[in-house]
Amino acid sequence: MMTWTPLHGQPYQPIPYHPNRIPVADALAASAAFRARMDERRTVRMFSSEPVPVQLVLDAVAVANTAPSGAHQQPWTFVLVEDPAVRAKIREAAEEEERISYRGRLGEEWLSALRPLGTDEHKPHLTDAPYLLVVFQQRFGLRADGTTYKHYYGDESVGIAVGMLLTSLHMAGLAALTHTPSPMGFLSKVLNRPRNEKAFAVIPIGYPADDAVVPNLVRKTMDQILVRI
Ligand SMILES: Cc1cc2nc3c(=O)[nH]c(=O)nc-3n(C[C@H](O)[C@H](O)[C@H](O)COP(=O)(O)O)c2cc1C
């Protein structure tokens, strides 16, 4: 494989593509098993501090990096934070923002949408979970010489990558929380990120606490989400 460089201006270079063809019976069995496993995924807000093999997280990031992206620009950076002092700093800043949000900034409609989730300004998961993975979206490309180039469909691309990350973590038996303290500007400062990056989500990763609970949510049925024409 070639090393990665921005594709801008490079010629089209097709290569053969022959992925393994899975027999239909195997595909149906694997797909049903995967669907059942994914139905068990829940956002967890109560973590054990039990250690997690870092390779599981690295594998999930590598999976996220296989996501499709606008013009193959892969506009994402993942910052893996284990350092307890940095996690404490992030928690302090996030709780500060969340205090303001929950005490009025969000507005009644938003607060009412959040009520069934039981969330508030306290974010112990930011220091309890062994890892924080902070996902940054590169709003534009930045070359080593400081020149920039446009990124296309950055929101969609990073969203898809994070979906694949969460799927991968779940399949490895890990729990995660997609946390979006708003605004998230403090993350760029605490983690010293370059000017083209903005925080997309903070994802605590670990095993659920022994006494973890989750809100009793019902998912939409296939009839409600799928239109077949
Ligand atoms: C983009 C996005 C932002 C989210 N932000 C937060 C958040 O800031 N805090 C939180 O506790 N949960 C957050 N969540 C988690 C959702 O509340 C959760 O996915 C939803 O309630 C469904 O629950 P489930 O993931 O267990 O199925 C977020 C999820 C997404 C996709």
Side-chain angles (χ1 to χ4, degrees):
M1 261 238 190
M2 298 184 302
T3 49
W4 192 92
T5 48
L7 287 178
H8 272 84
Q10 290 180 31
Y12 172 54
Q13 290 178 308
I15 54 170
Y17 178 63
H18 299 296
N20 277 341
R21 180 80 186 250
I22 308 169
V24 169
D26 295 356
L28 286 167
S31 155
F34 183 67
R35 176 177 172 176
R37 278 282 280 124
M38 287 311 297
D39 198 39
E40 293 167 359
R41 186 207 55 79
R42 291 303 311 270
T43 290
V44 164
R45 299 178 179 84
M46 300 154 100
F47 285 86
S48 154
S49 51
E50 191 183 338
V52 168
V54 71
Q55 191 59 47
L56 295 180
V57 180
L58 299 180
D59 285 345
V61 172
V63 168
N65 191 45
T66 68
S69 63
H72 187 52
Q73 291 174 316
Q74 298 177 273
W76 44 66
T77 305
F78 299 88
V79 180
L80 181 58
V81 186
E82 291 175 70
D83 185 332
V86 179
R87 281 188 290 143
K89 242 189 217 175
I90 291 175
R91 176 174 175 183
E92 195 183 318
E95 288 187 331
E96 178 70 41
E97 291 293 358
E98 297 278 41
R99 236 184 324 272
I100 302 168
S101 294
Y102 278 91
R103 290 184 191 176
R105 177 165 56 192
L106 296 183
E108 190 40 42
E109 183 163 1
W110 195 341
L111 286 172
S112 139
L114 293 178
R115 206 154 289 132
L117 306 182
T119 53
D120 60 25
E121 68 260 41
H122 300 107
K123 303 296 172 190
H125 45 260
L126 293 172
T127 46
D128 289 350
Y131 299 107
L132 288 186
L133 187 66
V134 188
V135 184
F136 286 87
Q137 176 177 343
Q138 299 166 2
R139 291 174 299 126
F140 50 88
L142 188 57
R143 298 187 188 88
D145 64 3
T147 58
T148 63
Y149 54 95
K150 257 185 98 161
H151 273 170
Y152 302 96
Y153 296 105
D155 293 340
E156 294 83 349
S157 303
V158 179
I160 292 169
V162 168
M164 292 173 65
L165 174 94
L166 296 174
T167 301
S168 184
L169 292 169
H170 174 69
M171 292 307 285
L174 295 174
L177 162 63
T178 314
H179 184 195
T180 46
S182 172
M184 288 196 278
F186 67 90
L187 290 161
S188 298
K189 286 193 199 116
V190 174
L191 299 172
N192 196 25
R193 300 310 306 157
R195 66 188 168 96
N196 64 328
E197 292 185 3
K198 69 166 183 181
F200 186 87
V202 185
I203 306 184
I205 297 168
Y207 295 110
D210 287 340
D211 57 354
V213 292
V214 294
N216 188 10
L217 304 179
V218 175
R219 293 192 169 117
K220 291 179 179 174
T221 62
M222 289 288 279
D223 285 349
Q224 291 172 301
I225 61 155
L226 176 67
V227 179
R228 296 179 68 171
I229 296 171

